[in-house]
Each structure stands twice: as C-alpha cells, then as structure tokens.
C-alpha cells in the first residue's frame, strides 16, 4: 500500500496523508543548523550538536507519537486546524507534504482557506525559515486568527529532560516587537540565544507555556487559541514562542508571512542590564524580510543540491534505480554524514555522538559530493585515535573530542580509517592528505602524519592476534552486539563496557576479512609514497591473514564468524544456533579469499540457502532463542530483531559486492533491489518506515513482524548501498590512477548511461550490453578512440568526454 508517490522531476517524495504508518521525516540543513521535520510538522531543531545545543523540545516515547514540533494554528470561525494536521488532528479537506532536498512543504486546506507552508534551512544560515501563504479560496471575506508555536528546550537536551529542580527556575525570554528571544542561561555562561520571529506586526504573543495551554491541556487543545494572547513573559518553568495575528482576507486574497527560528552567538552580550544584544538576530531577520529574499534562498538551496547530485547520475529504463541513485541514496548519504547516528526518530540525539566506525563508512558514499568536507572529517576522526591504532568508539561533534561513553577497543574500528582515507584519495587523487599532521588522542604533544595513523591502524590488527592467528575482537567488531569478552548477567549493565576489551582469546573472522580487504589500500598508499619496504611487509601480513582464515576460519561451506573467549567456534555447523553469519561471507569474499578454489562461491551459495528471505538477507541463522552470556547482546534480542537474525540492511550490500566480485551480476542486483526503499514503496504498510530512505533493520523471518523496518535514516546502509550500486554493480570505480570501468550487472540490463564528474572533467559513459553478459568489458572507446585497459584517461579540462563501454 502506498501513502504517497515519488515526484522525481522535483526530487520530492509526496505524502498524501498525515496518517503514515510511522512519522515520515526529513532533514533541514546541511552545514551547522539542522531541523528534523516529520510529515505532520513534528520534530526539533539544533545547532551543530543535538545534545548540547537543542533549540526546541521533543518528547520521546510520547503519545500521540511525534508530539512536539513547530506548529501553526489557524482559527477560522469555530474551526481550529494545523497545516500539518497535528496536533489538533482536525480533518483537512486537502493535505499534502512534500519532502525535498533540504526543505519540506505542506499544502493543506480547510473550509476554503488554503495554506502553503515551506520550511527550510537556507545555505549558510543558522535557522529554520518558514514561509506561510494563506489564500482565501471562498467567495466570502474571512477573518482568521493565526498562532505560531514552538516550545524551547533549555539547550542541553539531556539536562532539559532530567534536571527539573534547577530548570524550572532558569527559563528567561525577552520580546521586542514581533520577535521572541529565548535567553535561558545567557546571563551566565552562554554566549548564544535563540529567537522566533515573524515579519509582520503581531496582535499579541505568549511565552509561558502554561498560559498558552491552560491547566492540564495538551497542544491539541491550547486554551489560548481563542482570541487574543495574554502577552505572558516566561520566568522559569517552560518558555515557548507563540505569535498571534488577526488576518482579514477577501475572496482570492493571499497573505504571505515569514517566520524564523534562529540561533546566534555574540561576544557583546548585553546592551543594558540583562537586555541581550539583538543586533546579530536582527541581521538574520533582515535577510528574510521579504518573499523575494525567501524565494531567492530557496532557489539557491535547489542549486546547491543540483551541484551535490551532479557528480553522478544514471539514466536507465528502471525508474526506481534512477531515483535511488540520482536522488534519495545520495541525499541520505549526506544526512548520515552530517548526523552520524545521533539524531533521528530512533536516535535521541542525546546518546551517541559521532561513531568512529560509522563516520568513516559514511565518507564512502559522500566523498564525491564534497571532498573537502570528507577530508576535514577524516582528519577530525583520526585526531581521536590512540597511538596504538585503537580508537574512542565515539566523539562529540561540537568538541570533536573522543567520548568514553562506550569505551574503546572495538577492534574493527582502526580498519575503517584506512578505507575512508583510501576512498578520499581515489576520488580526488590527493595523496598529500597522507602527509597532513594529525594528533593522536586530541593531544597536541602526540603528533603524527595521517599515514602514521593508518600505519597504526594496520598494525593494531597485526599486533593483536589470538590463538589461531586471527584478529582479537576486543569489545566487539562491526557487530556491536557480539560481545565475546563481556559476559554480562546483571540487568541494566552495558553489554559492551561492563567487561574488558583486552581478552586475548576471542577472535573475529570478520575483522580478518575487513583487514585483508582494506589492507590492500594501505599497501597501495604506501607504494605511492615510495615506501616500498612498508608496502611489501604489509602485503606479507595480508597474505598470512588470508591463509590463516582459510585454515582456521572456514567451516566447510561458509566462513566461520568468530572464536569465543573459550576458543569455541561461532557461526559453525557445529553450533546449535547461529550456525552461519552474514558478515564474514561478505568481507572475506570481497577481499578475494576462496575465489580461486570455489570456497567463495560455496559461501555465497550458503548465504542464499540459509539466510535469504523475500525481504532481504538475515544476519544469522538459526536465530538465538535463548540468552547466551558468552555471546553478549546479540542473543538478548528476541529472534528476528536487530543483530539476532534481523535483516540488518548494512551488511546486505556486502553480499551484493561479494557477488559482483565473483561475477554474478544478476544475483548482486537482486540482493540490492530487495532492500532498496524505492522498490518497497508498495509495501509501505508492512515496511512502516519512509519509502525513500534505508532503515537500519527489517524484521527477519523469525520475528513477529516479518518485513517491518525500524531505525530509518541514520545507518551505514546508505553509504554501502550507494557504493554497491554505483561502483560494484554499475562499475564506475574511483581508483588511485583514475576512474576504472568494471561493471557486474544483471544479464538483462542491456544498456544504461552514467554522467560522472571526476577530477576536473565529466565522463558521459554509455554501456552497451547487447551481448547480455553479467561481467566483462570488450572495449572502451573514449572520445572516439579505443583505449587499453579499464582506466579512463584523466583530463583536467572541465570538459565533457564521451565514453562507450561495450560489454562482452
Ligand atoms: C544496537 C546496535 C548498536 C549499539 C550501539 C545496540 O543496542 O543493537 O545496533 O550499534 O547498540 O551501542
Ligand atoms: C549500529 C552501529 O551504529 C554500527 O556501528 C554497527 O556496526 C551496527 N549497529 C551493528 O551492530
């Protein structure tokens, strides 16, 4: 069942009912200021850090779901309604919500009054700007009351939710003309405040929540939405911002209003006793006084996205493929790059900051959009690394410092830094990044080059092997829930941190595969720097690791997952449950293990046989039916959910990549399509989450809600599927010496073309697969000249070059 449709020409998903199976959200902002906005205008805004600089309040686990947002109330005679339906839930005569690239637009009407509400965070601007157009579509004069509403968060979202004994006494505001200023804690240590403005004169306002709502009321029935507001000035308790304006509209008459929810910092704090310096806010308000200013900024936002999406576009007969590759997948990659796993409708924004592993992987799918930002991010991440190559698992975006919330010693972490750096160099050719000086552990006294960091990463694996010569797992590897050194039996304890990261027995075959795969990049990067000795040694370590896996890490028909702290096998046919896991099958094959002797193919066939379902590939089988302390969190989940046999979307693409590695393009594409959201639109009622973005998990076949997705938006799935489809399947592969052409596609995909901007020129590449093969390039012609090899020549001429690839 569909709840809307894709409007590809506008790059929008159009939601036609507010009653989606779950709030379907969008993100505003892509630099420093962000807003989450749902299809009922719910959500919240923050500056840089969803925990430390939250502008508006959001209540988690609330009922009705998704309560709290930026709400506008329209009172037209006795009817009160909201353009996004919530919170009054007054039935609308018309409702439409368009989620676009960095903006959301509602069009709704009730009793022949039409409202068009567009919300965006303009480029280089620290605020949400909302343009509201109200039109009288009736043949009678209308007199309406319009009320705005935001509820301020007292900045630190975690403290705001818990520290009431203090917070109920700190709230402060000021109001001047049509601007409401939220200045809690500004009198002491803060140098920032928020404001909520309207570009017209107002009749009245409210800043005290209880005055607005009335005793025991919710936002669905605010007492104040009934005539003039009382001009309350909040002092303590709960500051809000609400403007009220009386509006008269003749038939066909339209009024346009602009609201701004802004954030600003100032060194000169006060103009007189406890009166804040409003000049910086005024400057921001002046930037959006008129519709012309709004429309210009809206166009600039569109242009920005034209630019961001330009480096890669495909034209094929499969419109779902086109919309994933051209629009929604890269859009999600940008969002995950910005948010890591911090703020979504499943991540509170107050727990995890930026993940070391996650942010490195986010770079893979994002680097071609803004390489400079990827570079900055790589250096920020590297600066949190320890000298021995291990890493803080997370860091805070505002301070860029590692946080100890979940410890360190996730032994896959170091490898991802190699992969992200390699992706950056392959895209840009900028080997100089390896010579950049980057500190370790954010300590100015511990300086190295980025290459030193990668060296430390590589040798962290080499120096930490277990009894079989396989990498020690530490707290966990990619699978945060396989906690082999932490045998927790106390409820409420952290599965990751209550034990040690230093176990010297539990080993991970997955890390071995990851190491062998990305270790090749370390070898290549060393060679480019002229470090042949280092390259040779590293190559030797990789070869040894591969042999070790084939000796101790292969279980007959598939790769083993791990050895536990007692040296017992995990992911083996000898186990009763959890006999086979997805992760090592992907990475070991991607690294080339078992390809020459058929064991790779066998492993992938086993995946198909044991892990495939109609909604995607589950993580392991059989699911764990009871809790195993020696395995950790994985077995804490009921069967079919999350890491315990859920369809964990993040590693489905690894199987697609592995299938491409062995040349089975039809199967690779089948794996890709099975979880790609655009292909699932018709089962939105089953799937539940947004049909335009990937979710972290879909319930597996052992779960009660088979096929139901959770944790949409912030997942490494975005990046991995993007590179899977663009690089491994469609075969446009950034490489050190240029773009490599190496497609592995379904035999019935007879042609497609790709525009790829890369290192200063654009390649217009058309693929001719009239031969109907899955893999194999017969010839490549560039600007009418046949070339040797698979690498397109580099042209730094800003021009477009025509490439014809004939498969066969
Ligand atoms: C989740 C994992 C997640 C981890 C982060 C676990 O509860 O299942 O997916 O990576 O928490 O700490
Ligand atoms: C989500 C985490 O963000 C990611 O880092 C991890 O790999 C997966 N969960 C699997 O546990």
């Amino acid at each position: 069942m569909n709840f809307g449709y894709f409007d590809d020409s506008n790059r929008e998903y159009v939601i036609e009912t507010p009653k989606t199976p779950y709030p379907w959200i969008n993100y505003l902002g892509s630099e420093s200021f962000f807003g989450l906005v749902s299809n009922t205008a719910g959500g919240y805004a923050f500056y840089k850090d969803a925990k430390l600089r939250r502008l508006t309040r959001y209540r988690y686990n609330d009922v009705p779901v998704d309560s709290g947002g930026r709400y506008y109330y329209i009172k037209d005679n006795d009817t009160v309604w909201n353009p996004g339906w919530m919170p009054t839930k007054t039935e609308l005569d018309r409702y439409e919500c368009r989620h676009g690239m960095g903006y959301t637009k509602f069009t709704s009407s009730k009793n022949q009054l039409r409202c068009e509400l567009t919300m965006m965070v303009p480029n280089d601007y620290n605020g949400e700007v909302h343009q509201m157009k109200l039109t009288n579509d009736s043949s009678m004069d209308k007199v309406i009351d319009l009320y705005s509403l935001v509820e301020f968060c007292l900045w630190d979202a975690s403290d705001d939710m818990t520290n009431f004994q203090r917070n109920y006494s700190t709230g402060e505001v000021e109001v001047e003309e049509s601007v409401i200023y939220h200045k809690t804690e500004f009198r002491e240590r803060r140098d920032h405040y928020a404001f909520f403005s309207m570009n017209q004169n107002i009749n009245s306002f409210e800043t005290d929540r209880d005055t607005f709502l009335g005793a025991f009321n919710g936002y669905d029935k605010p007492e104040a939405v009934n005539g003039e507001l009382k001009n309350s000035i909040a002092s303590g308790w709960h500051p809000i911002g609400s403007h009220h304006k009386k509006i008269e509209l003749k038939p066909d008459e339209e009024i346009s209003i602009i609201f701004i929810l802004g954030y600003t910092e100032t060194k000169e704090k006060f103009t007189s006793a406890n009166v804040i310096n409003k000049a910086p806010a005024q400057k921001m308000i002046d930037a959006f006084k008129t519709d012309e200013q709004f429309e210009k900024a809206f166009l600039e936002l569109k242009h920005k996205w034209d630019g961001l999406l330009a480096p890669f576009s495909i034209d094929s007969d499969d419109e779902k493929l086109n919309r994933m590759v051209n629009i929604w997948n890269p859009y999600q990659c940008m969002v995950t790059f910005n948010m890591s796993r911090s703020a979504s409708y499943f991540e509170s924004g107050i727990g995890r900051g930026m993940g070391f592993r996650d942010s490195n992987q986010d770079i893979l799918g994002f680097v071609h959009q803004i390489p400079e930002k990827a570079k900055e991010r790589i250096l920020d991440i590297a600066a949190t690394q320890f000298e021995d190559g291990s890493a803080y698992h997370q860091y805070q975006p505002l301070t860029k410092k590692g946080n100890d919330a979940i410890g360190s010693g996730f032994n896959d972490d170091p490898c991802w830094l190699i992969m992200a750096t390699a992706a950056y160099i392959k895209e840009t050719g900028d080997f100089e990044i390896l010579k950049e000086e980057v500190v370790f552990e954010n300590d100015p006294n511990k300086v190295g080059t980025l290459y030193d960091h990668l060296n430390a990463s590589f040798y962290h694996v080499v120096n930490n092997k277990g009894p079989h010569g396989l990498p020690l797992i530490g707290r966990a590897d990619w699978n945060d829930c396989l906690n082999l050194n932490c045998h927790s039996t106390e409820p409420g304890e952290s599965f990751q941190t209550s034990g040690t990261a230093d176990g010297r027995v539990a080993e991970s075959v997955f890390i071995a595969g990851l190491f062998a795969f990305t270790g090749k990049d370390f070898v290549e990067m060393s060679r480019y720097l002229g470090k042949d000795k280092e390259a040779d040694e590293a190559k030797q370590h990789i070869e040894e690791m591969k042999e070790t896996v084939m000796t101790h890490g292969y279980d007959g028909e598939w790769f083993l997952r791990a050895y536990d702290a007692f040296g017992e096998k995990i992911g083996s046919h000898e186990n009763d449950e959890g006999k086979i896991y997805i992760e090592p099958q992907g990475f070991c094959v991607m690294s080339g293990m078992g390809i020459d002797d058929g064991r790779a193919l066998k492993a992938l066939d086993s995946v198909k046989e044991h892990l495939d379902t109609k909604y995607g590939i589950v993580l392991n089988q059989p699911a764990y039916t009871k809790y195993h302390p020696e395995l950790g969190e994985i077995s804490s989940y009921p069967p079919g959910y999350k890491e315990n046999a859920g369809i964990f979307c993040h590693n489905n693409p690894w199987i697609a990549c592995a299938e491409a590695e062995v040349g089975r393009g039809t199967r690779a594409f089948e794996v890709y399509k099975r979880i790609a959201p655009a292909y699932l639109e018709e089962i939105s009622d089953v799937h539940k989450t947004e049909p335009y973005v990937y979710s972290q998990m879909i319930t597996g076949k052992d779960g009660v809600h088979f096929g139901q997705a959770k944790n949409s938006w912030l997942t490494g799935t975005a990046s991995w599927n993007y590179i899977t489809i663009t690089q491994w399947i469609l075969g446009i592969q950034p490489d050190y010496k240029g773009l490599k052409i190496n497609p592995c596609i379904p035999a019935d995909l007879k042609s497609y073309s790709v525009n790829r901007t890369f290192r200063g020129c654009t390649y217009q590449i058309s693929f001719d697969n009239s031969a109907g093969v899955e893999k194999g390039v017969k010839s490549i012609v560039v600007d009418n000249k046949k070339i040797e090899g698979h690498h397109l020549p580099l042209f730094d001429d800003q021009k477009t070059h025509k490439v014809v690839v004939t498969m066969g």
Side-chain angles (χ1 to χ4, degrees):
M1 186 180 159
N2 289 10
F3 295 84
Y5 61 92
F6 286 94
D7 177 350
D8 294 336
S9 58
N10 283 310
R11 299 197 290 240
E12 292 170 336
Y13 192 79
V14 189
I15 304 170
E16 296 176 294
T17 166
K19 297 171 204 166
T20 44
Y22 199 71
W24 283 2
I25 73 163
N26 192 15
Y27 285 82
L28 312 178
S30 59
E31 286 137 13
S32 300
F33 192 94
F34 300 96
L36 278 66
V37 56
S38 72
N39 61 314
T40 61
Y44 57 93
F46 60 93
Y47 173 74
K48 280 194 181 169
D49 192 313
K51 177 174 186 227
L52 301 173
R53 289 280 196 284
R54 183 85 62 105
L55 267 79
T56 56
R57 233 174 223 169
Y58 193 77
R59 288 180 192 79
Y60 305 95
N61 288 334
D62 204 3
V63 280
V65 72
D66 191 26
S67 301
R70 327 85 180 128
Y71 291 140
Y72 294 98
Y73 296 83
I74 297 167
K75 183 172 180 304
D76 180 6
N77 280 319
D78 291 335
T79 310
V80 178
W81 59 281
N82 307 99
W85 184 65
M86 284 279 275
T88 60
K89 295 203 273 183
T90 303
E91 282 307 317
L92 300 172
D93 299 332
R94 178 173 174 209
Y95 162 93
E96 183 188 87
C97 167
R98 289 177 175 261
H99 284 320
M101 309 282 106
Y103 66 90
T104 287
K105 186 170 175 177
F106 295 91
T107 307
S108 38
S109 69
K110 182 76 186 170
N111 298 338
Q112 295 179 305
L113 179 68
R114 179 159 37 103
C115 174
E116 281 173 57
L117 173 64
T118 308
M119 302 178 163
M120 67 165 167
V121 172
N123 300 340
D124 303 314
Y125 191 81
N126 289 331
E128 281 186 19
V129 185
H130 305 165
Q131 183 198 50
M132 175 185 282
K133 288 187 175 166
L134 291 168
T135 315
N136 182 358
D137 286 333
S138 79
S139 52
M140 317 251 276
D141 288 1
K142 275 187 185 279
V143 181
I144 58 162
D145 290 288
L146 171 69
Y147 305 84
S148 67
L149 187 273
V150 297
E151 180 173 341
F152 292 108
C153 175
L154 308 187
W155 300 116
D156 180 327
S158 169
D159 192 68
D160 183 66
M161 282 205 326
T162 46
N163 194 7
F164 311 128
Q165 60 80 26
R166 166 180 162 83
N167 295 339
Y168 284 2
S169 296
T170 54
E172 285 192 288
V173 298
E174 278 181 47
V175 181
E176 200 177 277
E177 296 175 346
S178 305
V179 191
I180 295 164
Y181 298 88
H182 175 232
K183 58 169 190 177
T184 300
E185 292 188 346
F186 192 74
R187 61 167 60 245
E188 25 123 345
R189 290 155 300 174
R190 295 193 183 275
D191 62 357
H192 43 267
Y193 61 81
F195 65 90
F196 189 33
S197 69
M198 174 167 167
N199 69 341
Q200 308 226 349
N201 294 333
I202 55 175
N203 294 73
S204 56
F205 63 85
E206 218 73 272
T207 68
D208 176 57
R209 189 185 78 188
D210 295 346
T211 311
F212 183 77
L213 291 179
F216 296 103
N217 283 343
Y219 282 110
D220 55 333
K221 284 199 185 67
E223 202 171 85
V225 174
N226 187 27
E228 293 296 316
L229 297 176
K230 296 201 178 72
N231 297 347
S232 59
I233 296 291
S235 176
W237 296 109
H238 308 281
I240 60 161
S242 177
H243 309 91
H244 162 240
K245 186 172 179 65
K246 215 169 222 354
I247 297 168
E248 292 180 33
L249 290 175
K250 301 211 168 344
D252 290 330
E253 194 182 341
E254 177 188 283
I255 182 177
S256 178
I257 306 171
I258 293 171
F259 296 89
I260 303 173
L261 173 65
Y263 168 93
T264 184
E265 295 175 352
T266 169
K267 286 211 170 55
E268 285 166 38
K269 290 178 56 164
F270 297 101
T271 49
S272 60
N274 208 25
V275 174
I276 61 174
N277 173 10
K278 305 191 176 65
Q282 196 53 52
K283 212 170 141 208
M284 289 177 67
I285 292 168
D286 289 346
F288 288 99
K289 274 185 158 150
T290 65
D291 287 332
E292 291 70 43
Q293 287 170 313
F294 182 90
E295 264 122 41
K296 186 163 168 277
F298 189 71
L299 268 186
E300 282 164 5
L301 181 65
K302 283 219 156 194
H303 287 151
K304 175 175 176 167
W305 276 99
D306 290 342
L308 289 170
L309 298 175
F312 196 111
S313 65
I314 181 176
D315 186 14
S316 79
D317 292 339
D318 183 341
E319 64 168 10
K320 293 176 181 162
L321 174 64
N322 299 349
R323 68 172 62 113
M324 283 313 310
V325 170
N326 295 342
I327 305 171
W328 290 99
N329 200 170
Y331 184 58
Q332 188 179 1
C333 285
M334 162 68 105
V335 172
T336 57
F337 176 83
N338 286 325
M339 300 286 130
S340 192
R341 307 297 171 266
S342 66
S344 76
Y345 269 32
F346 297 88
E347 302 279 8
S348 66
I350 52 184
R352 306 149 76 183
M354 315 286 284
F356 189 96
R357 166 203 300 144
D358 295 325
S359 293
N360 274 309
Q361 285 174 85
D362 292 342
I363 285 170
L364 308 177
F366 168 79
V367 59
H368 66 294
Q369 294 191 39
I370 316 182
E372 314 85 69
K373 272 205 176 187
K375 174 176 176 182
E376 187 191 330
R377 177 66 57 80
I378 290 169
L379 300 176
D380 285 348
I381 298 173
T384 66
Q385 192 182 25
F386 295 97
E387 279 173 303
D388 71 352
S390 63
Y392 281 112
H393 199 47
Q394 293 165 1
Y395 71 99
Q396 227 30 62
L398 196 68
T399 61
K400 298 186 174 179
K401 293 222 164 96
N403 75 48
D404 226 353
I406 196 159
S408 54
F410 291 76
N411 284 349
D412 64 316
D413 272 342
C415 295
W416 301 108
L417 183 63
I418 303 180
M419 199 185 291
T421 307
Y424 168 79
I425 297 177
K426 288 174 184 174
E427 180 66 31
T428 57
D430 175 19
F431 283 95
E432 293 301 304
I433 190 177
L434 294 170
K435 300 180 192 154
E436 293 269 348
E437 288 201 342
V438 198
V439 297
F440 288 93
E441 243 185 292
N442 296 112
D443 180 345
N445 300 316
K446 299 180 179 165
V447 192
T449 61
L450 181 61
Y451 179 82
D452 294 335
H453 282 259
L454 303 190
N455 190 66
S457 285
F458 187 91
Y459 281 95
H460 189 265
V461 176
V462 175
N463 296 335
N464 289 285
K465 292 186 191 161
H468 299 92
L470 291 163
L472 292 170
I473 197 166
R475 289 195 193 284
D477 58 24
W478 171 90
N479 190 332
D480 280 322
C481 299
L482 198 59
N483 313 116
L484 305 182
N485 291 309
C486 169
H487 304 158
S488 173
T489 49
E490 281 302 310
E493 251 177 20
S494 156
F495 290 102
Q496 281 84 23
T497 55
S498 55
T500 171
D502 297 330
R504 305 311 290 179
V505 178
E507 298 167 299
S508 161
V509 177
F510 166 78
I511 298 180
L514 174 66
F515 168 80
F517 176 77
T518 199
K520 281 189 283 199
D521 284 313
F522 180 66
V523 173
E524 292 241 20
M525 288 186 268
S526 302
R527 286 227 195 282
Y528 272 95
L529 291 190
K531 296 176 184 292
D532 282 332
K533 191 169 142 277
E534 285 85 344
D536 292 340
E537 272 172 27
K539 199 159 173 250
Q540 192 53 39
H541 286 300
I542 295 171
E543 288 315 314
E544 270 172 33
M545 185 66 83
K546 285 180 161 180
E547 277 167 34
T548 307
V549 171
M550 294 325 284
T551 314
H552 298 290
Y554 199 81
D555 195 54
E557 295 189 19
W558 56 79
F559 292 91
L560 267 182
R561 179 62 177 84
Y563 286 93
D564 71 14
F566 311 99
E568 301 291 334
K569 291 177 185 167
I570 299 175
S572 159
H573 68 282
E574 294 165 20
N575 299 121
D576 294 334
E577 299 181 332
K579 288 173 189 287
I580 172 169
Y581 278 66
I582 190 171
E583 305 98 315
Q585 322 311 329
F587 260 97
C588 290
V589 176
M590 282 159 75
S591 77
M593 294 181 202
I595 296 212
D596 47 2
D597 63 8
R599 285 194 277 180
L601 276 183
K602 204 163 197 56
L604 293 176
D605 289 342
S606 298
V607 167
K608 189 162 182 183
E609 189 184 333
H610 301 290
L611 301 180
D612 242 19
T613 78
K614 63 177 172 175
Y615 295 128
I617 304 171
V618 296
L619 192 143
N620 57 311
Q621 275 297 294
Y624 294 107
T625 54
K626 33 184 191 301
Y627 178 55
H628 298 260
E630 76 285 5
L631 301 179
E633 185 172 1
I634 185 168
S635 60
S636 74
Y637 286 109
Y641 294 100
K642 296 277 288 181
E643 283 87 343
N644 186 15
I647 297 157
F648 216 92
C649 297
H650 187 143
N651 38 40
N652 276 237
W654 298 343
I655 297 301
C657 293
E659 289 287 359
E661 186 65 27
V662 301
R664 298 198 292 202
T666 305
R667 169 72 177 153
F669 195 53
E670 174 186 283
V671 171
Y672 168 78
K673 280 203 297 197
R674 207 156 290 172
I675 61 160
Y679 293 88
L680 306 178
E681 192 189 10
E682 283 100 70
I683 57 154
S684 290
D685 47 335
V686 178
H687 195 67
K688 234 178 152 160
T689 51
E690 297 90 335
Y692 39 91
V693 290
Y694 286 98
S695 292
Q696 181 206 53
M697 191 225 32
I698 300 170
T699 308
K701 60 186 176 187
D702 305 286
V704 175
H705 303 291
F706 183 32
Q708 188 180 89
K710 288 189 190 121
N711 299 12
S712 55
W713 282 98
L714 304 185
T715 161
T717 314
S719 245
W720 271 102
N721 274 293
Y722 187 76
I723 59 171
T724 297
I725 189 67
T726 58
Q727 301 183 14
W728 293 74
I729 296 178
L730 298 170
I732 321 283
Q733 306 177 342
D735 196 8
Y736 297 102
K737 43 183 181 174
L739 260 195
K740 186 177 171 195
I741 303 297
N742 183 21
C744 183
I745 56 175
D748 60 6
L749 181 59
K750 292 289 157 59
S751 69
Y752 60 99
S753 55
V754 166
N755 264 21
R756 178 67 155 100
T757 306
F758 182 80
R759 299 199 204 166
C761 77
T762 299
Y763 300 99
Q764 217 170 60
I765 316 171
S766 46
F767 289 82
D768 172 0
N769 186 28
S770 35
V773 297
E774 293 189 305
K775 200 175 171 112
V777 168
K778 205 159 74 184
S779 70
I780 301 179
V781 174
V782 181
D783 295 332
N784 296 320
K785 276 196 274 314
K786 195 163 184 259
I787 63 159
E788 291 304 317
H790 285 190
H791 285 86
L792 302 184
L794 289 167
F795 306 95
D796 191 10
D797 59 6
Q798 314 297 324
K799 294 210 174 104
T800 298
H801 298 271
K802 270 197 155 28
V803 181
V804 179
V805 178
T806 308
M807 296 183 63

